[in-house]
Amino acid sequence: MPATPLHDPTAPPLPGARTEVRNTTCYMCACRCGIRVHLRHGDEGPQVRYIEGNPDHPLNHGVICAKGSSGIMKQYSPARLTKPLKRKPGTERGAGEFVEIEWSEAFSMLEDRLRHLRATDPKKFALFTGRDQMQALTGLFARQFGTPNYAAHGGFCSVNMAAGMIYTIGGSFWEFGGPDLARAKLFVMIGTAEDHHSNPMKVELAKFKRQGGKFIAINPVRTGYAAIADEWVPIKPGTDGALLLALVHEIIALGLYDREFIARYTNAGQLVNQDASSDEFGLMLRNAEGDIVNPLRPHNFWWWDRLTNRPVADHAPGADPALLGHFAMPDGTPAVPAFQLLEERVKPYTPEWAAGITGIPAATIRRLAQEMGITARDHTIELPIAWTDCWGRRHDTVTGNPVAFHAMRGLAAHSNGFHTIRTLAILMSLLGTIDRPGGFRHKAPYPRAVPPNARPPKSPEAVKPDTPLNGAPLGWPEGPDDLFVDAQGEPVRIDKGFSWEHPLSAHGLMHNVITNAWRGDPYPIDTLLIFMANMAWNSTMNTSEVRRMLNDKGEDGEYKIPFLVVCDAFRSEMTAYADLLLPDTSYLERHDCMSMLDRPISEFDGPVDSVRIPVLPPTGQCKPFQEVLVELASRLKLPAFVHADGTRKYRDYPDFIVNYETAPGSGIGFLAGWRGKGGEKAMRGEPNPRQWEMYEKNNCVFHHRLSPSLQYMRNWNQGYMDWAQQAGLRRDRDPIVIHLYSEFLQRFRLAAQGKHPGKQPPDRLRQRVQTYFDPLPFYYAPLEQQATDTQRYPLNAVTQRPMAMYHSWDSQNAWLRQIHTHNYLFVNTKTALAAGIADGGWMWVESPWGKVRCMCRHSEAVEPGTVWTWNAIGKAAGAWALAPDANESRRGFLLNHLISEELPGANGSGPLSNSDPITGQAAWYDVRVRITPAGPDEPAETSPQFEAMHAVPGMGAAAPKRRGWMAGKMKVEK
C-alpha cells in the first residue's frame, strides 16, 4: 500500500479546525523581514503550518530565505526551555542539574539579590546580552540600576565598522547606511559574508547585475554573494587596510578624487597646527572671531583661500580652500590643510608595497583604483532635486558618483580594523560617494554628529548606591576627558571599556567580561546576567578556558563569579552553567520592537521601524526577556519605571513601549509611528494607547517617506537638518563634516605625550595610545600576528556564517540541519596537498592557544594562505537537544577553541584584550594556525570532546507525529 502524507493539503480541514494568517517580523537572523505566519487552530490550540514572506513589507517585499521559512522548526524545537529553573542544591555548575521553580520564586531571588547590590555597590551587577534587538531597553535598565557593566554583542561583532565610519562620516553600513545599488555602476564588496542584510542584498544584487553593473568581491573566500561576482580578488585576512591605503594613494596620485566634494563637505581644507612645540600640535586651528555655530562642537575653523592667498573663515562665501601646501598664519604658526597631511601619509603606500602584504598583484591594485576613480568621474548621475546646504547655498540638482561599497565583519574583526575602516570611509569620501545617488546612503536615525552626542560616564563617582548613572553605559568619547576611568587612569568597567586600554569602545567588550570577572580585574563582581549569548561555546574567544572559569572557585570554596543568571529560549552549551535559568519566548510568542532608539530597519528614503506581534501563546511558562526586565525594574523601583510615590508606571512590556518617553513630554518613544492620542502623528507625539493595534494593521511596520529634497546629502542638507531636529533624530542642526583627518584621535595622542591638561594614560599605556591614536589611518599587522611565530603558524584562520544559518540558533533546526549537519575546514587544494591532507581526510589544526581535530575539504575558492569554516555548526555533545552522537558534535567543530581573548602585554605587563586597541573590537580573525594530517589510528571524530549534556526539566521531546510531519515524512513514526 503506498505511503500517504500525514497532512493532505487537498482534504477538508479537520472538524472544528480553522486557519488564520498573522503578520509579524522574522527573527531567524538580524535582517528582520516581514513575514506571514499561517496558523491552524484545533484541539491543541494554534499551530504554525507555514511561514512566508510578506509582499507588502518595505524591507523584503515578500522575499524569504531558508532561515525564515524554517522558523516553524525553531518554534517546535525540542531544545525549548519552558520552565524557570535553579541549579539543584549540591550540584556543580556545568552538570546541568536543575529543579523547577515558579516565576514568583525566580523574581524574588533576583529582586532580593539585585536590590542589595544596588543599595551597596551597583557595579557588582553586570548585564551583558548577545544578538538581541532591544539594546535601548537593556541599556536603559542598566543605566537606571546604576551599573556601568552593560554591553551587547557589538564588541565581538563589528564595532570597528560602526566606530570607524561614524567617527569619519557620521554613519555606518548595514542598519545605518548601505550601497545604493539601484543607481550604482560599480559595486565593491569587501569582507562581507552572506548573512548581512541577506534578503534585501540578494534582491538588489540581482537587479544590479541585470542592469549591467559590475560587481567586484574582495575576500579571502569566494562564497555566498562573492560567488556571483564579476571578479573575485582574493586577499590575505587582516591586510584590507593595506589594500585600501594603496587605493587611496592611487586615487590621489592620479587626481581622480572629487575635489569639489571634498573641499566643501570634508575637513580636507581645514588648517592643522604644525607647531611641534605647541600643546595643540595636530589640532585644527580655530578662528577666535569666527562663527562657532554649535558651542558643543565649534565650527570656527580656518581655510587657506587659494583665490586671495590668505586665511579665511571655513566656508567663507566665495572662498576656495587650498588642499595642498604649507602656510604660515598671521601670528607665524605653521599650518597645512588636512588633505596635505593625508597626501603625505599615503605617499609610501604604493601598490607595490601593498602587493607584498595583501597577496594582490600591484597591477590589479592600480586597475581597481583607476576603475573606481574613472567610474566615479565619468559616469556621474544628476537628479532634478533642488536642495539647500547648511551654508545657505541652493543647489538645483543632486549629483552622484556611482561607485558603491559594502563591508562588514571581515574588515571589522581584526585588531587593525578601526584604521582599515577609517581608510575605507576616506576612500568613499575621496570618490565623492557619501549620501549621493549610486554611492553610500544613510538610513535614519543617521547621519549623526561626528561623534554622536552620547557620552559614557566619566569617573567612579558616577556609580552610586540606589542612583542611576549620570550617562548611558555606552557612548562616543570625544576626547580623553570623556573616558570612564579613575584618578589613576584605571578602568571603572569590568570589561575595561572606555578606558585607556580601549578608549572608543562604543559597544563594550563582552568577550572579556567572564575572564576579567574570574580574575577580579579590575574588581570582582557578584551577579552576571547573560541573555541570548552562548558564552560557553561559540560566543567566546577561548571556549575551553572560559568553561573552566565559569566553574572555578576561590580559596573560600565559592565560585569566583558567585551568581550566574542565564536567559535563553533554548538549552545551549551556556545554560548548563546557570545558577538561575529563565526561559525566554520564541519570536513568534512575544511583542518586540525594532526601534528608532536602537537599530531600526530604515530605508534610504526615510525612517522605518517595525514590531513583532505574538501569533502564538507562550510555550509552557516562557516569559519574554523584555517582560522580565520591566518586571524587575518595577520591583526594584528604578526611577524611569515607577511614579514618584513608588508605584509602577507600566503594566507590562507592551504598555512600556506605548507610554515611555525619552523625557517627560518629549513625544519621542520607542516607536515612531501612529503617535498622538489618536495615532495622527509621526516621529513624535503623545502616547497612543492603540499604537500596537495600528502597527499590526499595517503589516507591523511604519515607513515615513521623506520628500525627495531631504533624501540626499543629509550631512549638509539644511532642510534635512531642520526636519531631523524637529523629529528628534538630532539635537543640533549644524553640518556633519566628514573627518578625513580626526582631531578627536589626535587629542588622545596629545594626552599620551603629556600635552593634554586633563586625564592622562597610565605610563604603561602611553606608547600604545600614542601609536594607535593617529589622526590619519595607517597600516599595522594585527596584534596577534605581531606576537606569533608566523613561520610555525603560517596560515590565517577565519570563520563566517553560512547563508542558511545564523549563530548557533539555527544549527539545531531540523530543516536547516539538512543543509549543514557538520562543517569542514576549507583549505586551498595546493595548501592541503602540500601538508599531505586528503580531501575529506581528518586533520589537526593548531594555534598557539589550542588544537582541534576536524575534517578537511579542498577548495579553490579560498586564497592559499587562509583556512576557514562555517561558524557555530559544531556543537557540544547533547547540546540543543541533539543526540549525543549527532553529526554536529562528532563531525562538526568549533574554531573558537583555537582563539584567545587575551594577548601578553608589552614589556612583561599584564595581559591585554585580543582586540583592536582603539575600540576593543574582538580580533576573531587574527588567529594563525598550522595544519597536519591526523593519524590513521585516531578516532574519526572531532576533538576536543566534552561530557554529553542531558535534558533539563521542562524539556520534552516533541510529539513524533509532529516531528514526522515537519520533516516531510510520509508516515507516522511509532
Side-chain angles (χ1 to χ4, degrees):
M1 182 175 179
T4 58
L6 294 177
H7 172 65
D8 182 357
T10 65
L14 297 176
R18 63 182 178 85
T19 59
E20 180 186 13
V21 180
R22 300 284 302 277
N23 292 330
T24 188
T25 302
C26 189
Y27 199 2
M28 292 300 287
C29 77
C31 198
R32 299 160 293 177
C33 297
I35 55 174
R36 291 178 173 176
V37 183
H38 294 248
L39 304 172
R40 189 185 72 187
H41 296 262
D43 294 340
E44 298 180 14
Q47 293 183 338
V48 182
R49 282 294 174 259
Y50 180 59
I51 297 175
E52 64 176 334
N54 186 343
D56 298 324
H57 196 278
L59 184 69
N60 60 311
H61 302 284
V63 173
I64 194 168
C65 66
K67 298 187 295 291
S69 297
S70 68
I72 188 170
M73 297 308 296
K74 191 170 191 174
Q75 176 65 30
Y76 297 117
S77 165
R80 288 291 302 271
L81 300 170
T82 64
K83 297 180 179 180
L85 305 171
K86 69 177 179 180
R87 181 162 53 86
K88 188 175 182 178
T91 65
E92 295 294 317
R93 277 190 194 157
E97 297 287 342
F98 295 96
V99 294
E100 298 179 27
I101 60 174
E102 298 299 321
W103 272 105
S104 58
E105 182 179 352
F107 278 125
S108 293
M109 290 173 64
L110 280 172
E111 180 183 353
D112 292 346
R113 197 169 193 106
L114 296 186
R115 178 175 286 115
H116 171 73
L117 295 179
R118 187 167 188 261
T120 53
D121 190 353
K123 69 177 180 294
K124 288 194 173 183
F125 169 60
L127 168 62
F128 286 81
T129 73
R131 192 61 183 91
D132 71 275
Q133 295 166 0
M134 60 184 81
Q135 293 165 31
L137 171 59
T138 52
L140 174 67
F141 181 92
R143 180 175 183 173
Q144 289 286 304
F145 185 90
T147 180
N149 294 321
Y150 161 79
H153 85 293
F156 62 68
C157 180
S158 53
V159 67
N160 270 339
M161 182 58 64
M165 292 189 72
I166 288 171
Y167 273 92
T168 306
I169 67 171
S172 179
F173 280 120
W174 204 9
E175 284 106 339
F176 305 143
D180 181 12
L181 294 185
R183 293 189 174 91
K185 303 294 184 185
L186 176 64
F187 177 46
V188 181
M189 179 179 278
I190 179 168
T192 305
E194 46 262 51
D195 61 310
H196 286 112
H197 212 49
S198 175
N199 287 335
M201 178 60 71
K202 286 180 282 190
V203 170
E204 290 304 311
L205 266 177
K207 293 178 182 176
F208 173 77
K209 292 203 69 175
R210 288 192 195 104
Q211 66 192 21
K214 182 174 180 180
F215 174 21
I216 299 173
I218 303 172
N219 203 303
V221 178
R222 186 172 196 174
T223 62
Y225 303 135
I228 65 165
D230 297 289
E231 181 180 3
W232 172 45
V233 181
I235 186 172
K236 295 182 184 302
T239 68
D240 308 270
L243 169 64
L244 293 165
L245 285 164
L247 292 172
V248 171
H249 166 100
E250 286 293 286
I251 293 295
I252 293 177
L254 296 172
L256 289 174
Y257 54 90
D258 186 334
R259 188 192 185 282
E260 181 181 358
F261 181 87
I262 65 171
R264 187 157 190 83
Y265 302 121
T266 80
N267 66 1
Q270 291 175 7
L271 297 178
V272 182
N273 186 329
Q274 291 296 283
D275 180 1
S277 65
S278 170
D279 285 351
E280 296 187 347
F281 172 72
L283 299 181
M284 301 301 184
L285 289 164
R286 292 309 204 279
N287 179 0
E289 298 178 359
D291 187 356
I292 290 176
V293 181
N294 181 354
L296 295 173
R297 200 171 282 102
H299 289 257
N300 55 330
F301 303 105
W302 288 105
W303 277 354
W304 192 272
D305 181 20
R306 64 177 187 161
L307 302 179
T308 60
N309 197 33
R310 63 183 180 88
V312 298
D314 171 283
H315 285 89
D320 186 16
L323 301 184
L324 297 170
H326 294 259
F327 308 102
M329 301 299 287
D331 64 358
T333 301
V336 298
F339 189 79
Q340 173 71 41
L341 297 176
L342 176 64
E343 190 265 349
E344 293 172 2
R345 168 57 53 86
V346 299
K347 194 167 285 185
Y349 292 138
T350 64
E352 287 75 16
W353 165 84
I357 296 171
T358 64
I360 302 172
T364 300
I365 297 173
R366 283 198 178 86
R367 176 176 55 79
L368 290 173
Q370 291 174 7
E371 197 164 352
M372 293 173 189
I374 291 171
T375 302
R377 183 192 66 190
D378 295 349
H379 296 272
T380 55
I381 297 169
E382 187 169 11
L383 304 179
I385 299 172
W387 65 287
T388 300
D389 67 30
C390 289
W391 300 280
R393 179 188 291 183
R394 178 176 170 80
H395 304 260
D396 294 328
T397 61
V398 169
T399 59
N401 301 341
V403 180
F405 293 82
H406 190 51
M408 276 305 295
R409 195 178 302 110
L411 268 63
H414 296 283
S415 54
N416 60 8
F418 177 84
H419 278 293
T420 295
I421 291 160
R422 275 264 295 146
T423 310
L424 173 62
I426 288 170
L427 173 63
M428 293 161 56
S429 301
L430 293 178
L431 294 170
T433 68
I434 305 302
D435 212 40
R436 302 175 81 184
F440 170 90
R441 293 182 64 190
H442 290 296
K443 298 179 182 179
Y446 286 78
R448 284 182 166 162
V450 179
N453 292 316
R455 305 282 177 266
K458 293 180 171 58
S459 73
E461 288 69 38
V463 184
K464 300 177 181 178
D466 289 326
T467 305
L469 292 176
N470 60 10
L474 303 177
W476 304 89
E478 190 170 309
D481 293 336
D482 290 332
L483 293 184
F484 201 0
V485 293
D486 63 19
Q488 290 73 45
E490 300 298 340
V492 178
R493 289 173 55 104
I494 189 66
D495 63 356
K496 304 187 181 180
F498 304 108
S499 75
W500 287 103
E501 291 187 19
H502 307 284
L504 306 186
S505 48
H507 291 172
L509 287 82
M510 186 171 179
H511 47 292
N512 283 105
V513 170
I514 290 172
T515 300
N516 291 354
W518 165 79
R519 189 179 285 130
D521 177 19
Y523 48 80
I525 63 170
D526 176 89
T527 298
L528 174 60
L529 196 166
I530 295 286
F531 171 60
M532 198 189 288
N534 199 2
M535 302 304 293
W537 200 247
N538 62 284
S539 292
T540 192
M541 298 176 73
N542 187 1
T543 306
S544 298
E545 280 299 295
V546 164
R547 292 164 70 94
R548 181 185 65 80
M549 293 173 190
L550 291 171
N551 274 355
D552 198 23
K553 297 179 180 179
E555 293 181 359
D556 59 0
E558 298 298 321
Y559 287 112
K560 290 189 174 180
I561 302 176
F563 195 63
L564 183 60
V565 186
V566 177
C567 182
D568 210 315
F570 306 100
R571 196 218 34 203
S572 69
E573 288 85 353
M574 181 65 191
T575 57
Y577 294 88
D579 297 304
L580 179 63
L581 184 54
L582 307 179
D584 191 25
T585 56
S586 77
Y587 70 100
L588 297 177
E589 299 171 344
R590 67 168 175 243
H591 289 89
D592 216 343
C593 71
M594 282 52 75
S595 170
M596 292 301 297
L597 301 183
D598 200 342
R599 302 176 69 170
I601 59 167
S602 294
E603 294 287 291
F604 296 142
D605 64 2
V608 186
D609 63 11
S610 56
V611 302
R612 293 189 181 95
I613 302 288
V615 300
L616 293 169
T619 298
Q621 297 178 38
C622 292
K623 195 177 289 290
F625 185 59
Q626 303 97 313
E627 199 69 60
V628 171
L629 287 184
V630 171
E631 178 66 25
L632 276 175
S634 302
R635 288 172 176 240
L636 294 170
K637 301 188 185 304
L638 305 187
F641 292 84
V642 294
H643 296 290
D645 62 1
T647 58
R648 66 187 298 159
K649 281 185 180 180
Y650 309 111
R651 179 178 62 255
D652 50 21
Y653 172 73
D655 188 51
F656 167 78
I657 292 299
V658 166
N659 290 296
Y660 173 81
E661 294 179 280
T662 55
S666 71
I668 301 171
F670 275 77
L671 293 174
W674 295 283
R675 302 195 66 83
K677 294 181 179 180
E680 70 281 358
K681 298 179 181 179
M683 300 306 297
R684 66 191 308 172
E686 303 86 350
N688 169 18
R690 297 179 59 228
Q691 193 175 33
W692 284 102
E693 176 187 339
M694 292 179 175
Y695 268 87
E696 185 173 12
K697 288 181 178 179
N698 197 61
N699 295 298
C700 296
V701 66
F702 164 74
H703 187 178
H704 179 81
R705 289 180 175 84
L706 296 170
S707 67
S709 65
L710 307 186
Q711 290 183 20
Y712 297 93
M713 305 297 284
R714 280 168 283 194
N715 289 51
W716 322 278
N717 185 324
Q718 191 60 68
Y720 175 80
M721 292 301 174
D722 292 341
W723 176 86
Q725 185 184 53
Q726 181 182 13
L729 298 186
R730 285 204 67 202
R731 183 180 62 192
D732 308 309
R733 53 190 292 275
D734 54 322
I736 303 169
V737 174
I738 292 170
H739 287 234
L740 302 182
Y741 179 95
S742 177
E743 70 171 347
F744 302 118
L745 297 179
Q746 179 66 8
R747 289 172 186 169
F748 287 94
R749 173 176 273 187
L750 289 173
Q753 294 169 342
K755 294 185 175 183
H756 178 74
K759 294 179 179 178
Q760 299 284 308
D763 288 343
R764 72 182 188 279
L765 296 172
R766 284 188 184 274
Q767 187 58 49
R768 173 182 167 100
V769 174
Q770 182 172 334
T771 298
Y772 296 111
F773 275 78
D774 194 307
L776 289 165
F778 70 104
Y779 178 77
Y780 58 93
L783 302 185
E784 181 164 351
Q785 179 179 325
Q786 295 181 36
T788 301
D789 181 349
T790 56
Q791 296 298 313
R792 180 175 174 81
Y793 301 102
L795 301 173
N796 299 284
V798 298
T799 63
Q800 63 181 26
R801 298 194 195 114
M803 190 172 282
M805 291 185 176
Y806 190 72
H807 290 284
S808 52
W809 300 340
D810 295 335
S811 48
Q812 49 109 9
N813 186 297
W815 283 0
L816 299 179
R817 289 183 67 210
Q818 297 176 61
I819 302 173
H820 301 283
T821 62
H822 62 275
N823 54 321
Y824 295 92
L825 189 73
F826 292 92
V827 186
N828 185 277
T829 303
K830 291 181 180 179
T831 305
L833 292 176
I837 303 170
D839 186 23
W842 287 92
M843 64 190 296
W844 284 100
V845 191
E846 183 182 0
S847 78
W849 318 109
K851 190 175 182 181
V852 299
R853 183 172 56 225
C854 62
M855 288 188 293
C856 177
R857 177 64 76 216
H858 292 189
S859 173
E860 299 296 328
V862 54
E863 74 93 20
T866 301
V867 297
W868 73 279
T869 191
W870 299 123
N871 183 40
I873 291 177
K875 292 280 181 282
W880 300 87
L882 301 177
D885 62 349
N887 280 347
E888 284 81 358
S889 61
R890 292 298 178 228
R891 296 162 69 87
F893 73 100
L894 197 68
L895 202 64
N896 304 54
H897 295 300
L898 305 179
I899 305 173
S900 174
E901 83 282 27
E902 292 184 324
L903 296 174
N907 302 319
S909 62
L912 290 169
S913 176
N914 185 7
S915 305
D916 190 299
I918 298 173
T919 65
Q921 162 80 55
W924 291 100
Y925 294 168
D926 286 352
V927 68
R928 305 280 295 206
V929 302
R930 62 176 180 170
I931 58 175
T932 55
D937 56 341
E938 294 186 41
E941 68 174 17
T942 55
S943 175
Q945 288 287 328
F946 301 90
E947 185 176 346
M949 298 178 66
H950 54 82
V952 300
M955 279 180 58
K961 179 176 179 179
R962 175 185 293 157
R963 296 185 71 187
W965 179 81
M966 297 296 180
K969 295 184 177 179
M970 302 300 287
K971 62 180 180 179
V972 178
E973 293 182 353
K974 301 297 185 183

